[in-house]
Amino acid sequence: MAGLWQNALMPRRINELPSQLINQIAAGEVVERPASVIKELVENSLDAEASRIEVDVAQGGIKQIRVRDNGFGIHPEELALALSRHATSKVRQLADLERIGSLGFRGEALPSMASVSRLSITSRERDAEQAWTLAGDDHQPAPAAHPEGTTIEVRDLFYNTPARRKFLRTDKTEFGHIEQVLRRLALARFDVGFALRHNGREVFSTPAADSLAARERRIADLVGSAFLEHALTFEHAAAGLKLSGWVAEPTFSRSQADMQYFFVNGRIVRDKLVTHGVRQAFQDVLFHGRHPAYVLYLTLDPALVDVNVHPTKHEVRFREGRLVHDFLFRTLHQVLAEVRPSAPAEALAAGEQPAMPMSGPGGAPYQRPMGLGVAESGAGYRASMDWQAPASSAPLGGGQQGATAYAPQPLPQPAAEGDIPPLGFAVAQLHGVYVLAQNAAGMVVVDMHAAHERITYEGFKRAREGEGIKSQPLLVPVSVKVSPREADLAEAEQATFTELGLEVNRLGADTLVVRALPALLRGADAERLLRDVLADLVVHGASSRIGEAINEVLSTMACHGSVRANRRLTLDEMNGLLRDIERTERSGQCNHGRPTWTQLSMTELDKLFLRGR
Ligand SMILES: Nc1ncnc2c1ncn2[C@@H]1O[C@H](COP(=O)(O)OP(=O)(O)OP(=O)(O)O)[C@@H](O)[C@H]1O
Ligand SMILES: [Mg+2]
């Protein structure tokens, strides 16, 4: 064993490494692929206060990368310094390191890149008469022609480090990474114009965006117009923290976490604490396994965040992590809670806008000859979300027990004449599934099961936080056969059941009896409910996290209480449901993140019938 270590060719002598090798070792950390070169160069341009940055790449950036900016430039005598290790204009002392306002500060990026490529810098300082250029191995800068600003060119990446070169993928893949990096940088700084060209062809060009409309155009270009259409924009500041940006309504969720951009003081970060805080805010409204989409900006005093964690600076450390986490959670939770009908104009934005394929005059017949096409639009929407009913929301077994009466809460005051509530008044019920209502903007269609489920769930949460969930004794207690393990669990979790408004006792080794149900679930199937709650408790109880998972259990229970499809409601019941939706937080989606209602405006209806053309 020892022989392996004591190689005859490697005497145990300590020697200093040559600076080229030191730089190549550092390059191992910061320069992974062409996209990392671009990130470093563009960050330097942003630190130089550029207002326009142009990136040109050839062959996926492997052959050539050129970043040109109109920033403040570099003094000719400092060109060589910029290429030497640990040389930076951005920090001078420890105090600077503790409140970094620039993107760079390590003084490593340029020398690292220069050690693994053929690099040249050309720069003209503001108001200087002349530009100067310096290539990696030159000793003196030479005069050059260049407008104010800096161009850095990196050619033949990893030409001298073949082991690294082997890890590069195809031009196309590498270019994909470049695009992604530049997209993030362009989202970080709306005040700067960006352009990207690949092999001489323009891929994108986005001018500096100085109005909300221009910023949203950039969002639509870089993240997608579908995202923007479903995004809520907001800004909130408290306790020295500011969060702003766009979050997609939960109904526009993704199967991958691929539309999540989070910036801390203008720097894109991937941070566990951030991801967790955001996820938690969505927990209630997102179907399991789906991922939220967002572009968010957190701004705070640089002294409260440490960016000197990792050479690539993708991670940060918050000095008051808990505070930041709770701020993110609370702010987003509130933003999402507002996804409910308010005024007709906003109602349009909050609801799903049905896209109705239409033919031009004289064209092919309508693709949707049947009725309003609204139900279909809803169904299509679901299909595109891969929505599947979770086991616990399967309709209850047949029999009248399954059909829960919808008991509207008493209305405070009948609305004054001519005073139409946001969701309007019910006019009919469609196939026992949808409630149709007329409001100021046009027609509203409500998925009654989904809506009621959300209302019941929010009711449970409110009750639990307030006076507790009220229970109601069953006229005839229901006994249920379970496994001994489940019976043990039920016995051990008496307090949890009570908290949930359920009264469950053990009758024997494998028998439980349900004596009372939550009053909100009047008429629900006690046996199915108990089995589903037990299943939840088995999952969460194993790790004694029931306290945290209680909302999931409540959500399961809410499913049981909801009006089933195919139940006829009276107009009063339907109006009661509409008023409850208006009153309920997060009522834009059911607990699984499906939309609960949608608005169809008169204009949209008119279009369907080619009116007003
Ligand atoms: N485009 C540019 N315009 C003006 N000055 C620049 C530009 N690029 C680099 N510099 C100067 O060169 C110095 C070295 O750049 P380099 O990227 O190596 O280090 P840094 O940005 O200070 O730190 P880091 O290694 O964290 O990026 C910078 O501090 C800056 O003064
Ligand atoms: Mg830098």
Side-chain angles (χ1 to χ4, degrees):
M1 201 53 203
L4 269 178
W5 299 106
Q6 288 162 18
N7 190 318
L9 292 168
M10 295 265 286
R12 278 182 288 178
R13 291 277 154 71
I14 298 176
N15 58 294
E16 274 194 31
L17 297 173
S19 69
Q20 165 83 346
L21 186 53
I22 295 177
N23 287 332
Q24 286 173 333
I25 291 172
E29 288 177 312
V30 285
V31 189
E32 192 194 343
R33 55 179 5 134
S36 13
V37 170
I38 292 192
K39 169 184 174 288
E40 294 299 332
L41 294 179
V42 173
E43 287 189 351
N44 280 347
S45 298
L46 291 171
D47 283 344
E49 296 170 8
S51 64
R52 171 128 193 112
I53 300 172
E54 287 172 21
V55 179
D56 263 284
V57 301
Q59 297 177 19
I62 302 169
K63 183 78 205 133
Q64 190 191 46
I65 292 169
R66 203 173 60 210
V67 174
R68 164 171 295 201
D69 67 51
N70 62 355
F72 52 56
I74 306 174
H75 192 276
E77 281 167 23
E78 291 182 357
L79 284 175
L81 204 53
L83 290 185
S84 59
R85 192 171 160 75
H86 303 316
T88 178
S89 55
K90 300 170 192 176
V91 290
R92 296 198 177 274
Q93 53 191 29
L94 183 65
D96 300 338
L97 193 59
E98 285 173 354
R99 39 175 319 113
I100 287 171
S102 54
L103 294 166
F105 55 87
R106 302 172 61 95
E108 278 191 331
L110 288 183
S112 302
M113 289 186 272
S115 73
V116 293
S117 70
R118 301 183 217 274
L119 184 146
S120 69
I121 313 185
T122 309
S123 189
R124 175 161 158 194
E125 280 198 293
R126 290 221 174 119
D127 302 323
E129 284 176 10
Q130 170 76 59
W132 296 84
T133 185
L134 187 81
D137 32 16
D138 294 350
H139 294 288
Q140 286 295 322
H146 191 279
E148 287 178 8
T150 304
T151 293
I152 297 191
E153 199 174 274
V154 171
R155 284 184 298 119
D156 304 324
L157 186 64
F158 300 142
Y159 77 97
N160 55 353
T161 50
R164 259 293 153 110
R165 222 199 132 92
K166 269 209 300 238
F167 282 99
L168 293 181
R169 302 282 164 241
T170 60
D171 291 4
K172 189 162 170 254
T173 306
E174 293 303 336
F175 185 73
H177 288 287
I178 289 173
E179 232 190 310
Q180 172 82 347
V181 158
L182 207 64
R183 187 181 305 140
R184 287 182 185 145
L185 288 158
L187 288 174
R189 290 290 298 272
F190 287 106
D191 56 329
V192 176
F194 291 86
L196 174 63
R197 276 183 293 271
H198 189 205
N199 297 331
R201 195 176 51 82
E202 182 171 287
V203 178
F204 71 75
S205 171
T206 168
D210 46 14
S211 63
L212 179 64
R215 288 193 285 275
E216 298 207 321
R217 220 169 303 129
R218 185 177 286 193
I219 294 273
D221 279 354
L222 300 179
V223 187
S225 47
F227 168 78
L228 186 66
E229 268 163 38
H230 292 93
L232 312 159
T233 171
F234 70 96
E235 184 174 319
H236 178 67
L241 304 171
K242 191 178 112 186
L243 186 70
S244 61
W246 291 264
V247 318
E249 296 157 23
T251 48
F252 180 84
S253 61
R254 313 267 306 160
S255 63
Q256 314 247 314
D258 59 351
M259 241 186 227
Q260 306 185 338
Y261 300 91
F262 197 95
F263 302 89
V264 177
N265 290 345
R267 185 192 301 279
I268 184 114
V269 302
R270 286 189 294 256
D271 182 84
K272 278 216 189 82
L273 181 127
V274 163
T275 319
H276 187 266
V278 175
R279 247 218 104 76
Q280 239 190 0
F282 274 89
Q283 187 186 316
D284 259 7
V285 284
L286 210 57
F287 185 60
H288 183 70
R290 304 286 305 178
H291 300 270
Y294 51 81
V295 181
L296 292 171
Y297 303 87
L298 176 68
T299 336
L300 72 171
D301 180 349
L304 296 177
V305 48
D306 187 358
V307 288
N308 184 20
V309 179
H310 190 270
T312 60
K313 312 172 188 109
H314 281 315
E315 286 162 43
V316 291
R317 218 174 276 136
F318 293 105
R319 301 223 203 278
E320 295 183 60
R322 190 75 238 171
L323 180 81
V324 171
H325 179 278
D326 291 353
F327 173 72
L328 293 179
F329 168 71
R330 269 177 233 277
T331 307
L332 290 174
H333 193 71
Q334 193 52 44
V335 170
L336 294 171
E338 272 146 27
V339 185
R340 61 175 148 172
S342 44
E346 286 155 71
L348 257 176
E352 167 62 4
Q353 299 203 24
M356 300 275 174
M358 290 293 305
S359 60
Y366 292 148
Q367 297 181 30
R368 292 190 178 167
M370 269 186 41
L372 298 164
V374 174
E376 258 185 79
S377 148
Y381 185 69
R382 271 173 217 181
S384 71
M385 288 189 29
D386 300 321
W387 185 77
Q388 291 176 342
S392 61
S393 76
L396 298 181
Q400 46 337 18
Q401 263 214 324
T404 308
Y406 182 75
Q409 291 162 21
L411 285 172
Q413 272 300 311
E417 269 269 283
D419 196 3
I420 303 173
L423 290 184
F425 295 109
V427 288
Q429 193 179 2
L430 193 69
H431 288 286
V433 177
Y434 298 101
V435 168
L436 308 185
Q438 170 178 324
N439 71 351
M443 183 172 81
V444 171
V445 184
V446 177
D447 177 335
M448 59 189 218
H449 172 77
H452 188 199
E453 187 175 318
R454 166 58 69 183
I455 291 163
T456 310
Y457 175 49
E458 293 294 333
F460 274 140
K461 285 203 299 186
R462 266 199 316 276
R464 211 187 123 251
E465 283 155 19
E467 295 166 358
I469 297 172
K470 289 213 171 47
S471 73
Q472 192 173 38
L474 288 173
L475 285 179
V476 186
V478 177
S479 76
V480 180
K481 281 262 186 270
V482 295
S483 72
R485 183 164 161 249
E486 287 172 320
D488 289 346
L489 180 77
E491 215 171 24
E493 291 295 343
Q494 281 299 310
T496 309
F497 279 115
T498 311
E499 196 182 343
L500 294 170
L502 279 159
E503 192 189 329
V504 176
N505 304 126
R506 188 171 188 164
L507 272 194
D510 59 358
T511 312
L512 296 172
V513 60
V514 186
R515 297 189 190 282
L517 290 184
L520 276 171
L521 298 186
R522 212 176 331 140
D525 179 333
E527 175 174 350
R528 301 276 307 232
L529 177 65
L530 175 64
R531 289 195 191 286
D532 282 349
V533 171
L534 274 176
D536 276 1
L537 294 188
V538 166
V539 173
H540 304 297
S543 50
S544 70
R545 286 190 301 113
I546 291 179
E548 281 172 39
I550 202 103
N551 281 356
E552 281 171 48
V553 183
L554 293 179
S555 161
T556 300
M557 298 208 312
C559 245
H560 286 262
S562 305
V563 249
R564 299 292 120 219
N566 295 323
R567 212 184 77 73
R568 272 193 188 292
L569 299 185
T570 65
L571 273 181
D572 276 352
E573 285 176 317
M574 292 187 235
N575 281 322
L577 180 63
L578 295 174
R579 300 295 81 79
D580 276 351
I581 300 174
E582 287 159 0
R583 265 195 297 263
T584 303
E585 289 198 330
R586 286 169 283 273
S587 59
Q589 310 86 35
C590 76
N591 309 342
H592 309 298
R594 288 180 288 138
T596 52
W597 60 272
T598 186
Q599 170 86 55
L600 202 55
S601 70
M602 289 307 283
T603 325
E604 285 165 316
L605 287 169
D606 288 347
K607 269 199 218 150
L608 269 182
F609 297 98
L610 309 179
R611 254 174 182 269
R613 291 202 178 195

